């Protein structure tokens, strides 16, 4: 009986370690993807700045400059919006990964708790039977 309990607790510990590893892997993937998104945003800012500087340098007519500046602003606003949409989609994926991880861990914890409950009930039954036997002797 005690060995069953020890085995159950060992399995619980192994599951906890495995869950921690899985969470670490999820977090590493997320960090990698977030860094990629940040680099994309930084590149967009640099690209926009370079193009604005070129526009200012190459354009001599003020009306033409403001017209091209408006078009450039629209272009980069669209690109920034695309990045924002991608980030929202990424955040939703992260949420799903965390939800799946949590549900899996919760199911394992429930299973282990059920095993412990059965073992405690079995042990209590044996103890009760032993007490009755000792009382009648």
């Amino acid at each position: 009986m005690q060995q069953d309990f020890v085995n159950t607790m060992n399995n619980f510990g192994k599951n906890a370690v495995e869950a921690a590893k899985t969470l670490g892997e999820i977090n590493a993937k997320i960090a990698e993807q977030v860094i990629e998104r940040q680099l994309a945003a930084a590149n967009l800012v640099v690209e926009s700045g370079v193009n604005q500087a070129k526009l200012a340098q190459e354009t001599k007519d003020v009306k033409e400059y403001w017209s091209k500046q408006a078009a450039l602003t629209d272009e980069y606003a669209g690109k920034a919006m695309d990045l924002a949409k991608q980030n929202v989609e990424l955040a939703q994926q992260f949420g799903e990964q965390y939800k799946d991880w949590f549900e899996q861990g919760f199911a394992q914890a429930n299973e282990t708790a059920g095993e412990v409950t059965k073992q405690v009930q079995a042990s209590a039954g044996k103890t009760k039977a032993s007490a009755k036997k000792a009382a009648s002797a």
Side-chain angles (χ1 to χ4, degrees):
M1 185 69 211
Q2 289 177 343
Q3 187 61 41
D4 290 340
F5 182 75
V6 169
N7 289 340
T8 299
M9 295 314 294
N10 281 339
N11 287 337
F12 180 75
K14 288 175 186 175
N15 289 341
V17 168
E18 191 59 38
K21 285 180 184 177
T22 302
L23 181 60
E25 291 168 3
I26 291 170
N27 287 339
K29 288 177 189 175
I30 289 171
E32 181 181 321
Q33 291 175 345
V34 166
I35 289 170
E36 286 176 11
R37 302 300 340 132
Q38 289 175 335
L39 287 173
N43 287 337
L44 184 63
V45 169
V46 169
E47 180 185 323
S48 172
V50 167
N51 287 336
Q52 287 178 1
K54 282 182 185 177
L55 179 64
Q57 205 174 34
E58 295 170 356
T59 308
K60 303 301 177 200
D61 181 55
V62 173
K63 284 185 180 183
E64 180 185 359
Y65 170 78
W66 286 113
S67 173
K68 288 182 177 181
Q69 178 67 27
L72 195 60
T73 299
D74 285 345
E75 176 186 347
Y76 283 100
K79 289 181 179 183
M81 184 60 83
D82 289 343
L83 278 176
K85 287 178 186 177
Q86 291 170 8
N87 288 340
V88 168
E89 290 170 3
L90 200 58
Q92 289 171 335
Q93 290 173 7
F94 298 159
E96 284 297 315
Q97 289 176 358
Y98 281 126
K99 182 180 138 247
D100 291 345
W101 174 82
F102 180 78
E103 287 174 350
Q104 183 181 19
F106 191 74
Q108 286 177 341
N110 253 355
E111 184 180 321
T112 301
E115 290 174 20
V116 169
T117 300
K118 287 177 188 175
Q119 291 170 4
V120 167
Q121 288 172 341
S123 178
K126 288 179 184 178
T127 302
K128 190 175 182 181
S130 295
K132 280 184 179 181
K133 190 175 182 181
S136 65

